[in-house]
Amino acid sequence: MRTIAALSTIFAFLGGLGLFLYGVHMTSEALQKFSAKRLKQILQSLTKKKVYAVLSGIIMTIAFQSSAATTVLVVEFVNAGLINLGQALGVVLGSALGTSIIIQLIAFKFLVIALGAIFAGFTLYILGKKQWKHLGQSLIGFGLIFVGIAYMSDAAAPLRNIPAVNSFLEHLGSAPFMAILVGLVLTAALQSSTAVFAIMMSMASQQLIDLSAIIPLVLGSHIGGTVTTLLSSLTAERMDAKRTAIANTGYKVVATLLLFPFMEQFQTLVQWSTSDLTRQVANAHLFSALFMVIIFFPFNNWLAKGLKVLIPDRAGSKAPFKFRFIEEAAKEVPAIALKQAWEETYALASLIEEQMLQKIAKVFAEDQTSAFEEVMATEEQVDWYYRHIMRFLSRLSQKGLTEEQEEESINMQFILKELERIGDTFVGMVQFLEKMEGQNLKLTRAEWDSLEELYDNVAAHYTAMGQSLRTGDMQSAEEIIQERPEVIRLQRSLQFETLAQAGTSQAELSGGSDEEKLRYAVLDMLDRIYSIEDNIVNISQVVLGIV
């Protein structure tokens, strides 16, 4: 019977924790869908002034229910030139206060209100449309947070009758350094400081833990909440991402070291604020977060300069196969992740234009067959970026995108596939021309000229397509589609001229006379060039929203 009772207690506690974590996740996901783009526009203006940086961090953390998501958005703003590193550090400090406000909310006894929120959210989710469904989902998540806490609190009650548990928790109060480590490890393992605080509040509500243990656990959870962001920044390409993550951890570590000798005084302050032990957990987090802001915010600009000296920008890296814009952590904020993926897509389109399209043009204009090696060397880059952007979008799709974001992701994947096909076509052209050279065959100037006329038209369309893709220029995309019949007419005209000159339908490079092989080579190249036009038109149709 005791075993069954113990298992029931464990399952009730873990089930409550599961409901809590799911509620936080659902609320975060729904709020991002409901307001991420509008929130971003608001924050772009807020963060332009240093004095509002902390306020921005508070708003973002409450909206996203995640300081990690806040850090991602901050790094994006820094790299976009919207804010400097000093302002970014202010937002990071504000994110700690945002977490404090969330913890203050979950410290309330909101179970009845939470159940009402679940019903209201369900009603909105069933009857509402698009944005209102997301709001309903966030209300359901909000309600589940408090239902989870209620289950955890009830399940914690029997723990008072277990001597080993009581002994361990009492020992934490007399060994603050160990309590800090426990808070750090537990927060890093759960990847949620709010979950750790929910556990502490559940235990505090049953008088299982006292304030002498709560305060070092709070300080440890501050540090543990930065571990995931710090680890993810190790592989980040952007130096400001590393600097922001390191500063975020540094703030928490230094604040803990400064407070450690004054634990008793800090405990007195928290006790003075309220006699409710559950509320004392929330206040301990709030006061420590305020302490960090007061200590570090006035010196943020100096700290930013120091970080740039400590972590200098890299010298130009020669490694070609690294994302230039995408950060893996950006998946926490799908709107930002999609923006970064678009930037990589634009960069891929530019790479193909500069290293393939323009190099092949030199072959036509100047017979520079040395460009072959440069085109072939670019193929590996194109394939790498295509595969890895597609993989990033695949992982992003698992984050719960809105309908608009899902459509945006699908359109991007379609465009990427078309760009990859264009790259393959250029490679095929080079391989074909190299095969001709191997048979001592060389196109004449007149034959190059006939190819160049079509190629110039297609190249102009590619450039216009790249511009319309980046800027959303509908007019350029429309002109490409409108001019397609003229490109078809030119391709067919050149085909007929070549066939008339050949006087044969011979279609093999390996057979026939040299003259027939050259005529076939021209026909083959015309087909390849025209296939690029097809890909360009397909991308233009996506820009116009007709695919």
Side-chain angles (χ1 to χ4, degrees), residues 68 145 152 161 204 265 274 282 284 309 333-334 370 394 416 442-443 483 507:
I145 288 172
M152 290 166 65
N161 302 321
Q265 291 82 352
T274 179
V309 173
V333 187
S370 60
S394 176
L416 285 165
K442 194 173 182 65
L443 295 175
E483 292 171 7

Side-chain angles (χ1 to χ4, degrees), residues 346 349-350 353 460-474 476-477 480 539-540 543:
Y346 305 148
S350 297
E353 180 174 14
H461 280 179
Y462 187 96
T463 301
M465 176 273 293
Q467 179 67 17
S468 67
L469 184 61
R470 178 176 286 276
T471 64
D473 182 2
M474 300 292 185
S476 295
I480 290 171
I539 294 174
S540 300
V543 173

Side-chain angles (χ1 to χ4, degrees), residues 341-401:
W342 275 119
E343 291 294 335
E344 291 290 352
T345 302
Y346 305 148
L348 177 59
S350 297
L351 175 68
I352 292 172
E353 180 174 14
E354 295 168 6
Q355 299 299 323
M356 290 183 156
L357 183 78
Q358 294 176 6
K359 300 298 183 183
I360 293 291
K362 289 183 178 181
V363 177
F364 291 132
E366 306 168 22
D367 193 15
Q368 291 186 13
T369 53
S370 60
F372 290 171
E373 291 184 6
E374 298 176 70
V375 173
M376 296 301 292
T378 305
E379 178 196 16
E380 194 175 353
Q381 284 182 265
V382 172
D383 287 346
W384 188 93
Y385 284 114
Y386 166 72
R387 290 195 312 273
H388 285 77
I389 299 172
M390 292 288 276
R391 189 177 301 161
F392 178 79
L393 291 173
S394 176
R395 291 196 295 267
L396 180 63
S397 66
Q398 300 170 8
K399 290 292 182 179
L401 306 180

